[in-house]
Amino acid sequence: MSTKLRVAVLGAKGRIGSEAARAVEAADDMELVAALDRDDDLDALVGAGAQVVVELTAPSAVMGNLDFCVRHGIHAVVGTTGWTDDRLAQLRTLLAGSPGTGVLVAPNFSIGAVLTMKFSQAAARFFESAEVVELHHPNKADAPSGTATRTAQLIAAARAEAGCAPQPDATVTALDGARGADVEGVRVHSVRLRGLLAHQEVLLGAEGETLTIRHDSVHHSSFMPGILLGVRRVVGAPGLTHGLEHFLDLNLPA
Amino acid sequence: MSTKLRVAVLGAKGRIGSEAARAVEAADDMELVAALDRDDDLDALVGAGAQVVVELTAPSAVMGNLDFCVRHGIHAVVGTTGWTDDRLAQLRTLLAGSPGTGVLVAPNFSIGAVLTMKFSQAAARFFESAEVVELHHPNKADAPSGTATRTAQLIAAARAEAGCAPQPDATVTALDGARGADVEGVRVHSVRLRGLLAHQEVLLGAEGETLTIRHDSVHHSSFMPGILLGVRRVVGAPGLTHGLEHFLDLNLPA
Amino acid sequence: MSTKLRVAVLGAKGRIGSEAARAVEAADDMELVAALDRDDDLDALVGAGAQVVVELTAPSAVMGNLDFCVRHGIHAVVGTTGWTDDRLAQLRTLLAGSPGTGVLVAPNFSIGAVLTMKFSQAAARFFESAEVVELHHPNKADAPSGTATRTAQLIAAARAEAGCAPQPDATVTALDGARGADVEGVRVHSVRLRGLLAHQEVLLGAEGETLTIRHDSVHHSSFMPGILLGVRRVVGAPGLTHGLEHFLDLNLPA
Amino acid sequence: MSTKLRVAVLGAKGRIGSEAARAVEAADDMELVAALDRDDDLDALVGAGAQVVVELTAPSAVMGNLDFCVRHGIHAVVGTTGWTDDRLAQLRTLLAGSPGTGVLVAPNFSIGAVLTMKFSQAAARFFESAEVVELHHPNKADAPSGTATRTAQLIAAARAEAGCAPQPDATVTALDGARGADVEGVRVHSVRLRGLLAHQEVLLGAEGETLTIRHDSVHHSSFMPGILLGVRRVVGAPGLTHGLEHFLDLNLPA
């Protein structure tokens, strides 16, 4: 009798979805029981006995897909974007009607990116200064990246909570833009360079020392370990989990 | 009525000790009530009403100094080295007889160095590969540094506990030493370069991404925030605390 | 009348060869007139009117191919490896009989890698200390990389020529391998990490300052600009040119 | 008979001047024959037989000092700032009247900083993208640093001369300042962080690869090797030399 987790992928023809399907197949403890895309019937999930769905479709499709899954008691790991407070509230209501079912919604499945954010947040209150430099390929449309903005906000919140003084900065004459974007008091700099993919460096400075936390992402395959970890954990985590960090058990041992 | 912490420094004429005395004086919430060195009488601590002692003397003096402090109910923050399991046990026995008194013994007071170790330990199990590169001035006598060896051991232990496979390494032909020192399966590389002081980089790699945690220490003033934090916390932490990390509250918020 | 360079690729079905063929096609100033592989007849080069051949085959095939090209006055840019002093002498003899024809043999077509080597060589004599850290994927069989060894040798030679003193290093107790491999007095460290491709960092240190030159190669597409530059330059460089650096005009302007 | 260079320091009580005096004394091939400051008589230079003066005073004093030196045939190495085209022209006129005398005026005596600029300039035309990140202590008043602005200008000029296309940048939505300051088409980012002194990173990117040149200055002692090199070379370089790079012989060997 197989004890493998029965996993389905929605959006299985997409770039990330097809890779996720392969990653599930390659995992010793999982079985890929369905790989659906846009025009496929969700009933196939029930027929295949799927326990967990990996949802990698589009903002316009995700709520309908999750409605189906939750009503059928199928857990879900969701990488599709477009989540607002309203949508999250809607999902919570849905889950309230299916007490044993779990859904993980994660804005980022790269474990390295999530650790970078959590470590920065944990370290922020010990340092006078904190800035973020994010570096991406030059085809990126937005600056700063969403991850860099979120990281700066987490740092700012941690500093505020600890009662840190504003960051020291004696700049009196500056070219426009030299000191970067101001995200709640934390400066964020966006480099765009051919030959890069997605990189982020958090610099923390105190008297006599600096701490640098850098994440380099060179391929979207870096999302797969986080997706698989999400699949394994969501079956034991009923209700809504928002953010992969909740599954990383980061209570740092002393 | 002053509510400042009454702090004394032992070893106040040493390089670190004299800096610690200045740091205590500069702290808003502390008062430097005594600054003693080799030939001074410890009774002065009692006369001065010291609540906490910062102990920065020598391995040959530290046990006697702590015996005096603990018996007089004076808390201590200890940066002096030379601690063995025997000595720690002796100190615990001493503390058992003075239940309200706390002693912090810390091998490293740089908050950045401690965070580097703890973050590396917490992240280690999520990555296939982990190596340590430490970089110091060329006058250093030992390689690797004690901090790098300790970091590698913490990474190795975290990987073992999580059941990680051995690190991938297809090297078949190598010049002697190219792959660094093997510390419990974690490779450690020691760079010696004029113009550097003390630096450490922990590299963690998984499919498609790497996470780098780097600590740069450019002046021993970097120990002061950790010493002051120790002073503030030790008065509320009876018994022995071994390692500054216990005072950093690193249960990372989700 | 087209004035584009007429270029052929030998080894056009290989990984690098097929990419080179695409790069030639995409270049505004070149025309791909032939793309041959193992079983194709070299006479096609003449029929196609090829002016330059990009040779990306195998050590066993390269000398025969070059013999044909040089005798027919076709210039060549050669990425195939396996060059010994004997083979280079043989090629020079061949070229002596065809005075207007040029051949570029380059061990590395990544402009970034070549610049890293040349800059390190030029800077070496100004710094007391120099070490090399190379970082690669864990499937690599040799350590250090050929590029790192070559870089260290260039640094050592530049230091020797300038009469530099041996590097300072006070290490007295070391774990085996901690200080890296000794390449003519220059230490080289090899990191192997999942998530990396091919990276090299040259660290130079003097009193109060360090200079770091780092090359990150994340895809073999990085060879294409160097190959195209070679094609453009070899038609005006009769005889043997050994190393892409000769075409980079690095007489640094003041 | 001593064959040591007879060197005097002007501004010998200043922070850099006093260090320069010590560096001259420590150099095997030099003799410190005078160390003058504000109120000292320049005639002492003649009395002491100074061959070379190291000029580290103030913009208000430097022209008078050089007038004296050049008229007395004393060579000069000048670190004082405030040079305009007018002043340089004035100095050239002065030197025309004393054909054997040499003066080196250098905006930066850190060899590492100068090499960073020259290497960036030499490499710029080979890469699609180039950005500069400079990082300094938070007490710095200007952003970007003068060195970073100068580096960006050299990169821009090299790209223009080689006919490079504008840098790729698809940014359409950005927070104010995120993309840094625009210096002639080259983006410059200024980080201000406690624990840093003066650092600069030049990032160059092409398809599949990046080249990074980083200079870390941790102490103004890093100016001394450049000053001593200037002293040794200026005696054989009559007329005005503007910039230390002219004495570094950077015609890169192939």
Side-chain angles (χ1 to χ4, degrees), chain C residues 110 112 116 118-119 122 125-126 207-216 218-219 222 246 248-250 252-254, chain D residues 110 112 116 118-119 122 125-126 207-216 218-219 222 246 248-249 252-254:
Chain C
S110 151
T116 297
K118 301 314 289 179
F119 292 165
R125 70 198 142 102
F126 299 114
E207 192 58 43
E209 67 174 343
T210 59
L211 177 67
T212 306
I213 304 170
R214 181 178 172 115
H215 180 239
D216 293 274
V218 296
H219 197 266
S222 64
H246 297 276
L248 297 185
D249 302 325
L250 289 178
L252 297 177
Chain D
S110 152
T116 298
K118 301 314 290 179
F119 291 164
R125 72 198 142 102
F126 299 114
E207 192 59 43
E209 66 173 345
T210 58
L211 177 68
T212 305
I213 304 169
R214 181 178 174 114
H215 180 238
D216 293 274
V218 296
H219 197 265
S222 64
H246 297 275
L248 297 185
D249 302 326
L252 298 177

Side-chain angles (χ1 to χ4, degrees), chain B residues 42-110:
Chain B
L42 292 176
D43 287 330
L45 297 174
V46 180
Q51 297 170 277
V52 187
V53 148
V54 178
E55 217 292 345
L56 299 161
T57 64
S60 59
V62 63
M63 292 308 290
N65 288 340
L66 290 179
D67 184 71
F68 180 93
C69 290
V70 172
R71 282 189 296 103
H72 288 83
I74 302 172
H75 311 283
V77 168
V78 184
T80 302
T81 57
W83 290 93
T84 58
D85 287 348
D86 266 11
R87 287 195 149 199
L88 290 169
Q90 220 178 311
L91 179 54
R92 275 195 193 91
T93 305
L94 197 58
L95 282 160
S98 179
T101 307
V103 173
L104 166 67
V105 173
N108 201 325
F109 277 100
S110 151

Side-chain angles (χ1 to χ4, degrees), chain C residues 15-252:
Chain C
R15 201 182 53 155
I16 308 285
S18 57
E19 194 151 352
R22 280 194 302 275
V24 167
E25 283 188 305
D28 284 345
D29 58 345
M30 298 183 193
E31 189 176 349
L32 181 69
V33 298
L36 308 185
D37 214 276
R38 199 168 313 188
D39 300 321
D40 296 316
D41 192 336
L42 291 176
D43 287 329
L45 296 174
V46 180
Q51 296 170 276
V52 187
V53 147
V54 178
E55 218 291 346
L56 298 162
T57 65
S60 59
V62 64
M63 292 310 289
N65 289 340
L66 291 179
D67 183 72
F68 180 94
C69 291
V70 172
R71 282 189 296 104
H72 287 82
I74 303 172
H75 311 282
V77 168
V78 185
T80 302
T81 57
W83 290 93
T84 58
D85 286 348
D86 266 11
R87 288 197 147 198
L88 289 168
Q90 220 178 311
L91 179 54
R92 274 194 193 91
T93 306
L94 197 59
L95 282 160
S98 179
T101 308
V103 173
L104 167 67
V105 173
N108 200 326
F109 277 100
S110 151
I111 293 175
V114 172
L115 290 177
T116 297
M117 278 187 273
K118 301 314 289 179
F119 292 165
S120 302
Q121 185 183 14
R125 70 198 142 102
F126 299 114
F127 293 86
E128 265 184 84
S129 305
E131 304 206 2
V132 178
V133 182
E134 54 94 344
L135 313 94
H136 283 82
H137 59 85
N139 302 326
K140 189 171 178 58
D142 54 319
S145 69
T147 300
T149 302
R150 181 84 187 117
T151 305
Q153 288 168 337
L154 290 170
I155 290 170
R159 291 174 59 92
E161 200 190 319
C164 296
Q167 299 197 32
D169 182 357
T171 310
V172 288
T173 61
L175 282 187
D176 232 42
R179 289 287 290 115
D182 184 331
V183 176
E184 298 173 22
V186 177
R187 297 287 169 162
V188 181
H189 311 268
S190 299
V191 173
R192 296 294 171 262
L193 209 75
R194 184 74 73 212
L196 295 179
L197 186 60
H199 315 257
Q200 174 165 313
E201 199 164 278
V202 177
L203 299 115
L204 300 151
E207 192 58 43
E209 67 174 343
T210 59
L211 177 67
T212 306
I213 304 170
R214 181 178 172 115
H215 180 239
D216 293 274
S217 177
V218 296
H219 197 266
H220 50 81
S221 60
S222 64
F223 300 144
M224 296 309 130
I227 288 176
L228 298 186
L229 186 150
V231 167
R232 288 181 189 111
R233 294 293 300 271
V234 77
V235 299
L240 173 62
T241 301
H242 191 201
L244 186 63
E245 58 272 28
H246 297 276
F247 285 172
L248 297 185
D249 302 325
L250 289 178
N251 283 3
L252 297 177

Side-chain angles (χ1 to χ4, degrees), chain D residues 18-43:
Chain D
S18 59
E19 194 150 353
R22 277 194 301 275
V24 167
E25 283 187 304
D28 285 343
D29 57 344
M30 299 183 192
E31 189 177 350
L32 181 70
V33 296
L36 309 184
D37 212 274
R38 200 168 310 189
D39 300 322
D40 296 315
D41 193 336
L42 292 175
D43 288 329

